[in-house]
Amino acid sequence: MKRGGAAAAAILALLAASTGSGAGLPGDSLYQLHAELTTQQAATVGFDVYRGHPTLISMFYGSCPAACPMLIDAMQVYESQLDHAERARLRVLLVSFDAARDTSRALARISRLHHADTTRWTFASASESDTRRIAALLGISYRRMPDGDYDHSLLVTLLDSEGRVLGSTTKLVGDAEFAAKLRAATQIVSRAY
Amino acid sequence: MWRHAWLACLLQPYLCLAAADANPFVAVPGAELHSALPLGKAQSVRVRAFLLQRHPVTSAEFLAFVVAHPQWQRGAVPAVLAGADYLGDWQAALDPGPLVMARQPVTRVSWFAAEAYCEAQHARLPDWYEWELAAAASATAKDARADPAWRQQVLDWYAHPGGGAPGAVEHGVANVYGLYDLHGLVWEWVRDFNSLLPPGTDPEKFCGSAALDEQQKENYAILMRIAMLGSLRAADTGRLVGFRCARSLEGAP
């Protein structure tokens, strides 16, 4: 009897597996990763917080002296090239490498410093393991240096509303091809969820 | 017979638990490591004592995992977490088939899958420095990297890793910690593989001997491994890329 019960449970488990996780997401969607973010508003959201919208995503850290402020500026320049309606569809997610120092309060300060539109921009941090997973998923390499700085690659990735990669750039200025992809992505009216 | 091990796992889960016990965690004492990675101004890095599995995770051990965690079965895993070749040498999702030995290291696993496996063992992947520290040991010395005979032996495998499937684990001798197969069978994922190459580094240039000083030339085999791991993406799978798990020791010096 006991054995039969175990086998039945196992079969149920196998059936459950075939339905998969990530409700209807395509297999190449980055939102297949389940990661938890803490935002500048101290809210806990999923990595797929902007599912349903074309989204720019990158990683940074708040105490970064030069490269990261430039990265954030560059993302603002890219979105400033869109018209009002296009920009209204776009979302921007910046995930910190440095959860220890980039608390919600620190993230909120960075957001204010850059006059980010918080209706469409999220600054967030994650646990050490989720941070590493998100970086791995995006193909961003990073290393914490002994002085507390981070050596990291600069990469901005554009996702469609379902989390699939449409393009990416390592150029902080003047990547015309990337800018064109961004415009095309924001011209398509996103499906609502 | 082991091909039907998954059935046994379903009916008698302790069989699979027993399989996990066959790959115990072995203590590696903390040490100062002269890493092959550039450390900036520092000469060495402090590695705290940790636990590392005795051998790379085997096919049988990984099979028990995918039975218990169906979302990691071939065909169920999203492409973004494991590439098309994930467990590609297995006959079916729950059947490695006659050509895959139970005791051979599992390969063609992505970093995400390796991480999930270790998490299920209440463990994690080792950090690079931990792996490097453990892999610097021979059967008799904690740091054998200056021993020409040992170095040659390691280098020979990197030069001729063999065309077939990896052999069975624990076939050779254990190193001084009691760990097997850190060289000679497979490459192994580490938790921070995406920190190994400085951003923008071309793996070929990194690996090229022109970029190396004398001390690094002695570590050529290790540098090849760093370049290889650093060039992988987390969803990639490789014919010779496996892994083993590690655990931190709370309060370790």
Side-chain angles (χ1 to χ4, degrees):
Chain A
M1 214 41 221
K2 214 175 169 188
R3 270 191 186 198
I11 288 162
L12 283 176
L14 290 173
L15 285 174
S18 63
T19 62
S21 53
L25 279 174
D28 55 353
S29 167
L30 301 198
Y31 298 150
Q32 293 281 0
L33 181 80
H34 298 283
E36 206 167 78
L37 305 176
T38 303
T39 72
Q40 79 268 24
Q41 281 139 351
T44 301
V45 297
F47 180 60
D48 61 351
V49 56
Y50 284 146
R51 184 177 177 189
H53 297 273
T55 300
L56 285 177
I57 179 164
S58 191
M59 298 184 77
F60 79 110
Y61 68 104
S63 55
C64 174
C68 303
M70 279 168 57
L71 172 81
I72 296 166
D73 288 348
M75 291 169 84
Q76 288 180 318
V77 169
Y78 277 117
E79 76 162 21
S80 74
Q81 295 164 1
L82 303 173
D83 69 29
H84 185 265
E86 290 161 354
R87 200 160 49 245
R89 291 183 197 112
L90 183 69
R91 298 292 181 270
V92 181
L93 176 61
L94 278 149
V95 182
S96 169
F97 297 112
D98 189 3
R101 283 185 290 181
D102 286 337
T103 58
S104 295
R105 184 179 290 193
L107 292 170
R109 196 183 57 81
I110 294 159
S111 176
R112 278 196 305 275
L113 206 64
H114 287 270
H115 306 289
D117 175 358
T118 52
T119 61
R120 298 184 301 105
W121 282 58
T122 291
F123 293 81
S125 63
S127 69
E128 193 192 337
S129 57
D130 276 352
T131 302
R132 199 163 281 292
R133 285 181 189 138
I134 292 165
L137 192 68
L138 294 169
I140 290 176
S141 55
Y142 73 103
R143 179 144 61 120
R144 189 173 191 277
M145 304 309 279
D147 59 7
D149 277 342
Y150 287 78
D151 204 2
H152 64 99
S153 45
L154 287 173
L155 181 76
V156 180
T157 301
L158 172 63
L159 304 180
D160 73 6
S161 59
E162 291 287 79
R164 286 170 293 210
V165 175
L166 293 173
S168 62
T169 186
T170 55
K171 287 187 195 153
L172 295 187
V173 283
D175 187 335
E177 198 187 324
F178 184 73
K181 281 180 184 164
L182 178 61
R183 165 151 291 171
T186 52
Q187 280 169 347
I188 301 163
V189 179
S190 307
R191 276 186 285 161
Y193 285 92
Chain B
M1 203 53 218
W2 88 277
R3 274 186 279 151
H4 302 293
W6 66 274
L7 263 179
C9 285
L10 292 179
L11 300 172
Q12 306 285 351
Y14 69 86
L15 286 179
C16 295
L17 295 175
D21 283 347
N23 194 358
F25 286 81
V26 173
V28 178
E32 286 291 324
L33 173 70
H34 293 273
S35 175
L37 275 182
L39 294 171
K41 279 174 235 156
Q43 293 290 306
S44 63
V45 59
R46 179 77 201 167
V47 180
R48 286 147 58 101
F50 65 102
L51 300 173
L52 191 62
Q53 279 191 301
R54 197 163 74 185
H55 58 242
V57 172
T58 64
S59 303
E61 289 157 11
F62 202 78
L63 177 62
F65 165 70
V66 297
V67 166
H69 302 271
Q71 70 271 31
W72 287 102
Q73 288 168 16
R74 192 178 82 190
V77 186
V80 77
L81 300 183
D85 198 34
Y86 174 63
L87 299 175
D89 53 344
W90 287 18
Q91 194 163 285
L94 291 176
D95 182 5
L99 300 178
V100 175
M101 291 183 297
R103 294 270 297 165
Q104 83 186 46
V106 67
T107 58
R108 300 183 202 267
V109 285
S110 67
W111 178 83
F112 289 113
E115 261 226 313
Y117 177 94
C118 292
E119 204 168 73
Q121 325 301 317
H122 308 291
R124 56 174 173 82
L125 288 170
D127 286 326
W128 167 260
Y129 290 135
E130 292 172 337
W131 190 93
E132 189 182 6
L133 175 71
S138 67
T140 51
K142 283 185 177 175
D143 189 350
R145 292 176 296 177
D147 172 353
W150 181 83
R151 217 161 57 209
Q152 192 57 46
Q153 198 185 329
V154 168
L155 209 49
D156 284 346
W157 177 72
Y158 285 89
H160 309 282
V169 297
E170 297 196 17
H171 209 68
V173 274
N175 74 10
V176 75
Y177 302 114
L179 297 165
Y180 290 83
D181 306 313
L182 287 152
H183 306 278
L185 282 184
V186 290
W187 312 84
E188 295 179 27
W189 282 113
V190 291
R191 177 163 69 168
D192 51 349
F193 80 101
N194 58 344
S195 77
L196 294 180
L197 290 189
T201 311
D202 177 349
E204 293 208 2
K205 279 186 194 146
F206 182 77
C207 210
S209 57
L212 308 179
D213 62 26
E214 279 309 311
Q215 184 260 330
Q216 287 178 315
K217 278 179 187 162
E218 293 185 356
N219 280 324
Y220 193 69
I222 287 292
L223 287 164
M224 279 171 61
R225 189 176 277 256
I226 292 170
M228 197 285 300
L229 286 174
S231 67
L232 289 175
R233 305 269 311 216
D236 286 347
T237 61
R239 187 176 59 84
L240 285 178
V241 182
F243 70 100
R244 73 179 81 201
C245 307
R247 281 188 191 134
S248 302
L249 282 166
E250 291 309 318

